[in-house]
Amino acid sequence: MRVLRSDMSSWKRGKRASHSFWKQSIEALVVFSLCVKISGCSDVDELMSTYPLIDGHNDLALQLRIRHNNCLSQVDLHNLSKVSTDISRFKAGHVQTQMFAVYVLCGAQQKDAVRLTLEQIDVVRRMCTEYQEFELVTSVQELKDSKDNGKIACLISIEGGHSIDSSLPALRMFYQLGVRSMGLTHSCNTPWAESSSNFYPVYKRENNSLTSFGKVVVEEMNRLGMIVDLSHTSWNTSSAVLSHSKAPVIFSHSSSYSICNHSRNVPDNLLLELKKNQGLIMVNLHNTFVSCRDEANISHVADHFDYIRKLIGAESIGIGGDYEGATSFPHGLEDVSKYPALIQELLRRNWTENELAGVLRNNFLRVFEQVERVRDQLSSKLPSEVQIPFEEAHNPCRLILKRPDPRSPSSDQSSGAEEIAVEPHQSCAVLPSGRE
């Protein structure tokens, strides 16, 4: 009997110990969950390894032109000085896909913008094929495959509609070269769309922020499966595009106007239209767009994320750092390796793993997939043959093709009557020296 009581006592002590163990385990699990949800003490590296970043905007190609005249043989992209971007820092920042901007100065608009754009596409294509860490991608599936293959995916985006010289055939040829996104303007108006900047007094119009030809450009981008980018466009142009586009659009590197009232940022009414469009705003990290001052910190950036999430939901948000294009960045976000610090701050502010998975990656994938879906729905539509009226795009370097005047001293008297005259013009080239 004594032995039985002893066994019973031991069993009860064991049961109490087991109960205490499970209770402590559950309490620890609850504490850990709260820690992840509230204080942001989860493993950010693990989160970003699972959902590596798709960044909407980087101007490394511009810096390669300015600093090295696009001579890739002179640089090692694994480690670059005097810039904020290289392969080593991409890896440290968990950047798995980068939308590389192809940008040429607005001063080239009436000159050789198309040639300069081709040269910038060339340097991005070379960069992303000559380095084994990179992989040039042109579709959602290729982007996903690149992650599985451990590659940094490269997407090409033209920054500024002046690059197509108001030509739909030029737009289509850029698509054939791998371009999958285009910003309709940069800091200058085009003959068919309006910029948020008044720096260049060109192609000014009243009450016509997106012309008939501009609408055709949007339609052709929808047909091709090219993402329409509204960063740098005026608010009126943005609103017109949001009403006209059949596919979701993006602001590839813009922030909230309500937090920082800079004209490059997006006001609430456009954010609400963007939500209806199922598009994406990819928050810019440049100090001037984040804090409206020369100085900023990570908290300032996170304020934009919080505000936009409250207004239109986390599913409408991405990240477009604008490294190499902008000149100053918040303390703690000085280069592309610092993205984990931003995610850490958002975790501290109660952002969930699902929300951050969207911000880092899934929201952009959803938009790109929908753009491709619209393309497939329009597959029976033939390429547009609309041409912009000559008077709308007239400039000294835009010619009317016509037969030569035999009375002109510049014409070749021995030539046949079917020859086309191309009259020479002075100063039809521009040398890039920096970013406006």
Side-chain angles (χ1 to χ4, degrees):
M1 191 63 142
R2 190 177 296 129
V3 173
L4 181 59
R5 288 198 188 102
S6 177
D7 289 343
M8 286 291 290
S9 178
S10 297
W11 178 79
K12 289 178 180 177
R13 285 197 302 272
K15 185 176 180 182
R16 285 194 297 270
S18 177
H19 177 75
S20 177
F21 169 81
W22 286 110
K23 182 179 179 182
Q24 290 173 2
S25 297
I26 292 170
E27 287 174 349
L29 182 61
V30 170
V31 169
F32 175 77
S33 298
L34 289 173
C35 179
V36 170
K37 186 175 181 181
I38 297 174
S39 68
C41 64
S42 68
D43 188 346
V44 174
D45 284 337
E46 183 177 351
L47 175 65
M48 296 187 72
S49 295
T50 305
Y51 308 106
L53 176 63
I54 298 174
D55 181 83
H57 195 85
N58 185 291
D59 276 292
L60 180 59
L62 173 65
Q63 294 301 324
L64 289 174
R65 177 176 280 277
I66 293 171
R67 298 176 183 278
H68 306 286
N69 199 28
N70 284 355
C71 295
L72 287 182
S73 60
Q74 297 180 1
V75 300
D76 178 4
L77 294 185
H78 295 95
N79 296 284
L80 289 172
S81 60
K82 299 181 181 179
V83 295
S84 305
T85 304
D86 55 36
I87 292 172
S88 298
R89 282 177 283 185
F90 270 145
K91 291 181 177 179
H94 296 284
V95 180
Q96 188 278 317
T97 299
Q98 182 61 66
M99 188 107 76
F100 284 109
V102 167
Y103 166 76
V104 302
L105 277 68
C106 276
Q109 175 163 216
Q110 299 181 358
K111 298 177 182 178
D112 51 354
V114 173
R115 175 183 66 83
L116 292 169
T117 302
L118 287 169
E119 291 176 356
Q120 292 308 99
I121 290 173
D122 174 72
V123 78
V124 174
R125 289 183 63 91
R126 286 189 58 205
M127 178 174 69
C128 295
T129 54
E130 294 177 13
Y131 281 81
Q132 63 179 3
E133 293 87 352
F134 285 134
E135 184 172 40
L136 184 66
V137 302
T138 58
S139 69
V140 173
Q141 190 57 54
E142 289 177 358
L143 195 160
K144 292 178 179 178
D145 291 343
S146 70
K147 175 180 179 291
D148 296 337
N149 296 331
K151 301 285 188 177
I152 300 171
C154 304
L155 283 167
I156 302 177
S157 175
I158 290 175
E159 188 179 13
H162 60 285
S163 283
I164 68 170
D165 195 20
S166 301
S167 165
L168 297 181
L171 175 69
R172 290 191 285 269
M173 289 301 96
F174 286 140
Y175 183 86
Q176 292 297 322
L177 290 173
V179 174
R180 289 298 177 268
S181 176
M182 184 177 76
L184 300 191
T185 71
H186 192 257
S187 54
C188 51
N189 298 334
T190 68
W192 41 273
E194 188 176 72
S195 171
S196 62
S197 170
N198 293 316
F199 188 81
Y200 288 90
V202 296
Y203 297 120
K204 290 193 172 183
R205 300 173 297 275
E206 294 293 331
N207 303 317
N208 196 13
S209 57
L210 186 70
T211 69
S212 297
F213 184 79
K215 292 177 181 177
V216 174
V217 171
V218 172
E219 292 166 7
E220 191 68 358
M221 291 178 71
N222 288 169
R223 189 192 68 82
L224 288 168
M226 188 183 289
I227 300 170
V228 177
D229 182 0
L230 297 180
S231 283
H232 287 286
T233 62
S234 72
W235 296 348
N236 287 336
T237 296
S238 295
S239 182
V241 173
L242 283 162
S243 298
H244 194 71
S245 178
K246 292 182 173 64
V249 305
I250 65 171
F251 291 86
S252 68
H253 55 306
S254 299
S255 300
S256 167
Y257 183 82
S258 289
I259 298 296
C260 170
N261 58 348
H262 192 287
S263 62
R264 273 278 283 104
N265 287 338
V266 185
D268 288 0
N269 64 304
L270 286 180
L271 289 174
L272 293 170
E273 289 183 45
L274 183 69
K275 180 178 177 64
K276 294 177 184 176
N277 170 264
Q278 298 184 319
L280 195 63
I281 177 169
M282 308 184 83
V283 175
N284 191 314
L285 306 186
H286 177 38
N287 285 347
T288 304
F289 303 154
V290 167
S291 67
C292 285
R293 298 193 300 273
D294 293 334
E295 299 273 331
N297 56 43
I298 295 176
S299 182
H300 288 126
V301 178
D303 288 345
H304 287 264
F305 283 86
D306 280 348
Y307 183 84
I308 298 169
R309 177 179 65 165
K310 183 177 180 181
L311 184 69
I312 59 173
E315 67 275 9
S316 301
I317 308 175
I319 299 174
D322 203 10
Y323 289 103
E324 313 313 340
T327 54
S328 59
F329 291 89
H331 297 298
L333 292 172
E334 292 84 1
D335 61 58
V336 298
S337 71
K338 309 295 186 182
Y339 282 119
L342 173 59
I343 301 307
Q344 183 79 57
E345 174 64 15
L346 294 179
L347 278 168
R348 193 187 68 79
R349 294 183 178 213
N350 299 335
W351 284 64
T352 67
E353 178 179 326
N354 187 59
E355 289 174 330
L356 290 174
V359 167
L360 287 166
R361 186 172 192 83
N362 293 342
N363 295 342
F364 182 87
L365 289 175
R366 170 184 56 77
V367 168
F368 200 0
E369 286 170 346
Q370 183 60 20
V371 167
E372 291 188 338
R373 193 171 298 120
V374 170
R375 173 203 64 193
D376 294 343
Q377 293 167 356
L378 298 173
S379 60
S380 61
K381 187 176 180 181
L382 294 174
S384 174
E385 296 180 341
V386 172
Q387 298 183 26
I388 192 168
F390 185 82
E391 60 273 13
E392 291 183 16
H394 177 63
N395 66 69
C397 293
R398 196 175 187 91
L399 305 182
I400 298 177
L401 299 181
K402 60 184 179 181
R403 289 182 177 138
D405 183 352
R407 295 169 296 180
S408 171
S410 64
S411 65
D412 185 350
Q413 298 297 326
S414 63
S415 301
E418 296 299 321
E419 188 174 328
I420 298 298
V422 180
E423 298 178 3
H425 290 273
Q426 300 297 319
S427 303
C428 285
V430 63
L431 294 176
S433 60
R435 188 180 183 88
E436 291 110 332

